[in-house]
Amino acid sequence: MTAILFDLDGTLLDTAPDLVGALNRMRIEDGLPALDYASLRPAASHGTDALLAAGYGSTRHDAGHAALRERYLAQYRARIAECTAPFPGMDDTLATLEARGIAWGIVTNKPSALTGALLAALGLDARACAVVSGDTLAVQKPDPAPLLHACTLAGLDPARCWYIGDAARDIEAGSRAGMRTLVAGWGYLGPDDEPAAWGADGTLAVPTELLDWLDPGPEAAHD
């Protein structure tokens, strides 16, 4: 059975408005000006540490970084789904997958507490065949183990799965797991990203293009 696994931030959901919003609220609290959304959007795909590096120049090795991180996470949790929504076309894509009996799930590096709260707020938690977060296992993407764990949870064959993501680590993880991979071209790609060099099977401009790869079947259409 063919199945689809999605990255979360920048692939399934447009979370950047809330992720960046939390960072800018912190900066305003600290007497600093809000930063331009467009400049911070690419960092949203790479997690809290990337956002704090962009917003404060802080790295995990710096004194005070842990406290800054906790402040940020509290800000984000408080308004985790205020502006977040599926990317345009994603609702229709998921509905079509479900109508065709194609299972879909999520593998993300986002911590499970945040992943669970976000999916519950958007009513997606009960629809995914599997959800694997950044702290589900001892390793994260680009290690393939989280993707393989999702397959185990849902009873899927990795060779029959596609993994969709907007970062090089996503494509690496999917390839190492023996899956076919597609780049989410609508995601949080930065000016230095070169998705054509990542080794994916293709790049999607919009979520609904995924259906073209699956009908009449990825092997028939693109081998």
Side-chain angles (χ1 to χ4, degrees):
M1 178 182 70
T2 298
I4 310 297
L5 297 177
F6 294 96
D7 173 47
L8 186 60
D9 300 274
T11 300
L12 186 70
L13 299 178
D14 188 7
T15 55
D18 288 325
L19 289 164
V20 173
L23 184 69
N24 275 332
R25 288 195 300 275
M26 274 181 59
R27 284 180 57 86
I28 291 168
E29 285 181 357
D30 294 338
L32 300 170
L35 296 175
D36 177 64
Y37 170 77
S39 69
L40 291 174
R41 185 180 186 269
S45 185
H46 303 292
T48 299
D49 288 337
L51 284 161
L52 291 176
Y56 282 86
S58 177
T59 73
R60 65 179 61 191
H61 304 294
D62 294 339
H65 181 77
L68 196 67
R69 194 174 194 278
E70 286 306 309
R71 277 185 62 207
Y72 173 78
L73 291 174
Q75 283 276 10
Y76 178 56
R77 277 192 295 263
R79 294 159 68 173
I80 195 169
E82 184 174 73
C83 300
T84 291
F87 281 96
M90 187 59 76
D91 279 331
D92 289 342
T93 299
L94 296 181
T96 301
L97 291 175
E98 291 166 351
R100 295 182 185 178
I102 298 173
W104 63 270
I106 297 165
V107 181
T108 175
N109 282 355
K110 200 180 193 78
S112 56
L114 299 177
T115 300
L118 183 56
L119 296 179
L122 297 178
L124 293 171
D125 50 338
R127 295 171 61 185
C129 68
V131 177
V132 177
S133 298
D135 52 0
T136 301
L137 303 178
V139 294
Q140 298 181 338
K141 299 177 295 181
D143 195 292
L147 280 70
L148 296 173
H149 185 60
C151 290
T152 298
L153 292 175
L156 304 173
D157 177 1
R160 301 279 293 173
C161 290
W162 291 76
Y163 189 58
I164 320 298
D166 69 323
R169 65 176 171 275
D170 298 322
I171 305 308
E172 179 182 345
S175 298
R176 291 172 64 191
M179 300 178 183
R180 299 188 76 173
T181 59
L182 292 168
V183 176
W186 60 84
Y188 303 146
L189 302 176
D192 296 329
D193 284 322
E194 297 181 2
W198 295 349
D201 290 278
T203 296
L204 305 175
V206 294
T208 51
E209 285 187 358
L210 171 61
L211 304 173
D212 296 334
W213 287 78
L214 304 180
D215 187 11
E219 292 78 15
H222 297 280
D223 274 357

